[in-house]
Amino acid sequence: MVLGPFIDNASYKVVKVSNIGTDTAYQMKASHILITWTANTTRSKKVAKEKADKILADLKKGASFPAKALEFSEDPGSKSRGGDLGWFGPRRMVAEFEKAVKATTKNGLIDHLVETSYGYHIINVTGKDNKFYTISTIERSIDASQETQDEAYRAADMFASDLSVWKSSKKERKHKT
């Protein structure tokens, strides 16, 4: 695929995707519902896990993931987007979360809770991509030739000269009246 030519700042550019390959690093996209515990105690973790298990069971029965995220998620950053975390690369999420998403072979709800230091995550994988793209760019700067620069200076001089003649004739007319 070739794009251009187009003007970018002071140059013409033509851009081409010259290679598409497979990488070992994945870009991943997921949504999650985070259920946290109120204290780092066995009792508090048990209550949070029971709540997360109930939500996961509802989702397995066909409940709307975005609706459940809006209702229950305790992650303020993604809650208002229905749990959507967008695209992320390696080492952008805590290790347990990334490992669970990476281990999936297809998009969809992960059938178990994932525990991290933040709490229990219910994860819906919405995309994975391990392609890389090599982009080639041809760029030529747009420079005025010496002839064009000389012509611009001549035009500016003529304008300045005409302006000074106009100003002085205007002064003369003003004094005569």
Side-chain angles (χ1 to χ4, degrees):
M1 179 165 113
V2 177
L3 298 173
F6 56 90
I7 296 176
D8 183 23
N9 292 324
S11 64
Y12 283 109
K13 289 186 179 179
V14 175
V15 179
K16 178 182 180 184
V17 176
S18 58
N19 185 27
I20 300 173
T22 304
D23 198 349
T24 56
Y26 277 87
Q27 291 293 312
M28 298 163 272
K29 186 175 185 197
S31 297
H32 80 140
I33 299 170
L34 174 65
I35 305 300
T36 61
W37 42 82
T38 54
N40 198 8
T41 63
T42 305
R43 172 83 179 119
S44 183
K45 282 185 172 185
K46 181 180 178 195
V47 169
K49 188 173 187 319
E50 288 171 355
K51 181 179 179 181
D53 277 330
K54 182 178 178 341
I55 296 166
L56 181 60
D58 289 346
L59 291 168
K60 286 180 180 179
K61 292 177 190 171
S64 164
F65 196 96
K68 289 290 185 183
L70 281 168
E71 184 177 354
F72 294 108
S73 186
E74 296 171 37
D75 176 4
S78 67
K79 179 178 183 161
S80 64
R81 295 187 312 270
D84 184 18
L85 296 167
W87 287 96
F88 54 92
R91 295 173 298 284
R92 295 284 301 173
M93 300 293 176
V94 291
E96 303 89 348
F97 188 98
E98 183 181 326
K99 183 179 177 184
V101 173
K102 203 171 185 182
T104 62
T105 56
K106 61 184 187 214
N107 289 349
L109 186 67
I110 294 178
D111 66 352
H112 61 279
L113 299 177
V114 176
E115 183 180 346
T116 71
S117 58
Y118 293 99
Y120 293 104
H121 300 264
I122 302 165
I123 304 171
N124 186 32
V125 178
T126 54
K128 286 173 66 174
D129 186 9
N130 67 334
K131 291 188 176 109
F132 72 85
Y133 302 87
T134 304
I135 308 293
S136 300
T137 304
I138 298 172
E139 182 175 354
R140 300 277 319 235
S141 59
I142 303 170
D143 297 319
S145 68
Q146 189 61 48
E147 183 180 331
T148 302
Q149 289 178 20
D150 290 346
E151 182 59 36
Y153 288 128
R154 269 193 299 279
D157 280 344
M158 296 252 316
F159 178 75
S161 174
D162 290 347
L163 185 60
S164 66
V165 169
W166 179 78
K167 279 184 176 180
S168 64
S169 70
K170 188 176 176 183
K171 282 183 185 177
E172 285 178 20
R173 277 185 270 150
K174 192 174 181 183
H175 288 307
K176 287 181 182 179
T177 54

